[in-house]
């Protein structure tokens, strides 16, 4: 019998979770392992009722892999004994709200949740989706004693997937032809989608596309601004694609990365590529499929690429300064 997995997901009544929870429960993410889902949302009756409704629908799917669903408004109950915690719940950025205000508004959620995560299983792994996700992961990790910081990750997989789709469309190939797509830095408009190491059909993307002006200009801008473009088009922020990326992220950490490949995830910096140690920064990563992962070493950065990395890292450092009072 496969080892059961208990997964806590926050923001359970929200739009990302409505696209995420079913794919966690169905066997798509954890194969034939029995899954127990623990759904956390705000302890407000109407919100809890909405989360209960999602739990009812999960039950009604009749998944063979789903062994139970718990709905709660209490982080201590939600995180008790969990193997994975997907921290999706956060307040969205309101009209005219500065990034700094959002950081200070959402930061306290992650001090509380970081402390409650001390009750998790010893093999806990955390994915933070709620924005600003890199800095929220930093806050959660620093408030969670007894669990190593390298268990805390944040999501840049949606940015990776967006970049892959843009390259494929431009080159007139399928997404499957694109590999080695790295997102460096912050999940924000300063992120650096690195086409210099990306490959198309195994060849350098820049050679295949042959349009450096587009790669350095519209390509990067489109990926950086995609979240905004979705809001403008849909009137709501990305939900299905965000949930899809969260599934991709979890699956990457659950499997051993095939030799020679990598994926993007925001993980705690060990000083690689000159990124100050301790920042939660997106890097190219590989997983050993046993709970361990490494930052891919030895990629050569052009001066131009390094300047892009420096800019997004500078933003992460600024965010760390803004939340200094919330770090444990
Ligand atoms: P919704 O507003 O639909 O849902 C958020 C849910 O979180 C609500 O049910 C709310 O009650 C709950 N919540 C708020 N505070 C909570 C707390 N302290 N504990 C538990 N639950 C709490 O937002 P949704 O569209 O689902 O987006 C969720 C988060 O994902 C947002 O912060 C959003 O900015 C972020 N995103 C991150 C992305 C990424 O690539 N990292 C992309 C998509 C998305 O923008």
């Amino acid at each position: 019998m496969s080892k059961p997995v208990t997964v806590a997901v926050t923001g359970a009544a929200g739009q990302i979770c409505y696209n995420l929870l079913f794919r966690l429960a169905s066997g798509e993410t954890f194969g034939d392992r029995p899954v127990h889902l623990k759904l956390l949302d705000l302890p407000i009756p109407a919100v809890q009722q909405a989360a209960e409704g999602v739990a009812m629908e999960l039950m009604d799917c009749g998944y063979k892999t789903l062994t139970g669903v718990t709905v709660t408004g209490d982080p201590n109950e939600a995180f008790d004994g969990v193997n994975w915690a997907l921290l999706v719940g956060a307040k969205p950025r309101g009209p005219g709200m500065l990034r700094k205000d959002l950081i200070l508004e959402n930061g306290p959620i992650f001090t509380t949740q970081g402390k409650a995560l001390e009750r998790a299983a010893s093999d806990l792994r955390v994915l933070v989706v709620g924005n600003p996700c890199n800095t929220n992961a930093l806050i959660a990790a620093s408030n969670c004693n007894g669990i190593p910081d390298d268990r805390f990750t944040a999501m840049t997989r949606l940015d990776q997937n967006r970049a892959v789709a843009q390259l494929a469309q431009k080159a007139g190939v399928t997404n499957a032809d694109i590999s080695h797509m790295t997102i460096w830095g912050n999940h924000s408009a300063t992120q650096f989608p690195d086409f210099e190491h990306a490959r198309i059909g195994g060849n350098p993307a820049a050679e295949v596309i042959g349009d450096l002006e587009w790669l350095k200009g519209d390509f990067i801008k489109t990926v950086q601004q995609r979240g905004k473009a979705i809001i403008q088009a849909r009137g709501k922020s990305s939900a299905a694609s965000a949930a899809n990326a969260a599934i991709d992220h979890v699956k990457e950490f659950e499997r051993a990365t095939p030799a020679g490949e990598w994926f993007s995830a925001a993980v705690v910096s060990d000083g690689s590529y000159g990124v100050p140690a301790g920042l939660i920064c997106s890097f190219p990563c590989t997983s050993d499929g046993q709970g361990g992962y490494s930052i891919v070493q030895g990629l050569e950065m052009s001066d131009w690429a390094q300047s892009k990395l420096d800019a997004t890292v500078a933003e992460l450092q600024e965010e760390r300064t803004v939340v200094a009072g919330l770090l444990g």
Side-chain angles (χ1 to χ4, degrees), residues 13-321:
Q15 55 156 0
I16 292 178
C17 281
Y18 196 67
N19 292 275
L20 173 65
L21 295 167
F22 300 86
R23 296 176 64 185
L24 291 170
S26 70
E28 178 187 346
T29 311
F30 296 104
D32 62 1
R33 295 175 70 185
V35 179
H36 184 114
L37 288 178
K38 300 181 91 175
L39 311 187
L40 177 69
D41 210 308
L42 295 171
I44 297 169
V47 176
Q48 286 292 300
Q49 192 186 324
E52 289 283 359
V54 178
M56 287 159 70
E57 284 205 68
L58 280 161
M59 203 174 115
D60 293 349
C61 289
Y63 296 126
K64 292 195 176 79
T65 40
L66 185 62
T67 53
V69 184
T70 308
V71 178
T72 178
D74 174 5
N76 289 322
E77 187 188 352
F79 297 147
D80 195 29
V82 299
N83 309 104
W84 268 101
L86 276 51
L87 309 185
V88 179
K91 286 178 201 153
R93 190 161 164 175
M97 201 175 185
L98 298 175
R99 188 170 173 84
K100 189 179 164 195
D101 298 335
L102 181 76
I103 292 171
L104 289 172
E105 184 93 17
N106 279 332
I109 295 175
F110 295 87
T111 58
T112 310
Q113 293 187 355
K115 286 191 183 80
L117 281 164
E118 291 172 6
R119 309 166 73 95
S122 60
D123 65 353
L124 170 73
R125 274 179 283 174
V126 181
L127 165 62
V128 180
V129 174
N131 280 321
C133 60
N134 299 55
T135 294
N136 289 340
L138 178 74
I139 295 168
S142 79
N143 282 281
C144 182
N145 293 319
I147 293 185
D149 288 354
D150 65 7
R151 305 292 182 75
F152 289 78
T153 65
M155 190 167 93
T156 52
R157 182 55 181 251
L158 179 54
D159 308 298
Q160 176 187 324
N161 290 347
R162 287 166 170 167
V164 163
Q166 292 299 319
L167 288 183
Q169 190 183 42
K170 179 77 174 174
V173 298
T174 67
N175 294 334
D177 294 314
I178 314 293
S179 65
H180 301 86
M181 186 65 235
T182 310
I183 303 296
W184 298 89
N186 202 2
H187 167 69
S188 74
T190 67
Q191 65 174 273
F192 173 41
D194 174 6
F195 60 83
E196 291 190 351
H197 295 98
R199 296 181 208 165
I200 302 180
N203 300 307
E207 273 175 30
V208 176
I209 287 183
D211 184 349
L212 209 53
E213 199 185 320
W214 178 81
L215 285 165
K216 285 187 166 180
D218 282 354
F219 164 67
I220 291 185
K221 202 167 159 210
T222 300
V223 177
Q224 288 174 335
Q225 301 290 337
R226 190 68 167 178
K228 209 168 153 192
I230 300 285
I231 294 173
Q232 273 161 3
R234 224 173 71 85
K236 291 179 188 164
S237 57
S238 323
S241 57
N244 179 66
I247 299 285
D248 284 347
H249 179 110
V250 172
K251 281 163 84 176
E252 290 286 16
F253 280 90
E254 283 287 320
R255 72 166 187 165
T257 309
E261 293 183 13
W262 69 67
F263 59 89
S264 299
V267 299
V268 62
S269 174
D270 57 1
S272 294
Y273 299 96
V275 178
L279 285 180
I280 303 273
C281 177
S282 187
F283 287 103
C285 297
T286 59
S287 162
D288 65 8
Q290 309 290 322
Y293 68 84
S294 309
I295 295 171
V296 174
Q297 297 297 318
L299 297 182
E300 276 192 30
M301 306 292 279
S302 67
D303 290 347
W304 180 81
Q306 189 64 49
S307 72
K308 294 282 165 199
L309 174 56
D310 292 347
T312 188
V313 167
E315 184 184 48
L316 285 172
Q317 285 178 291
E318 274 167 38
E319 290 185 11
R320 181 162 65 178
T321 307

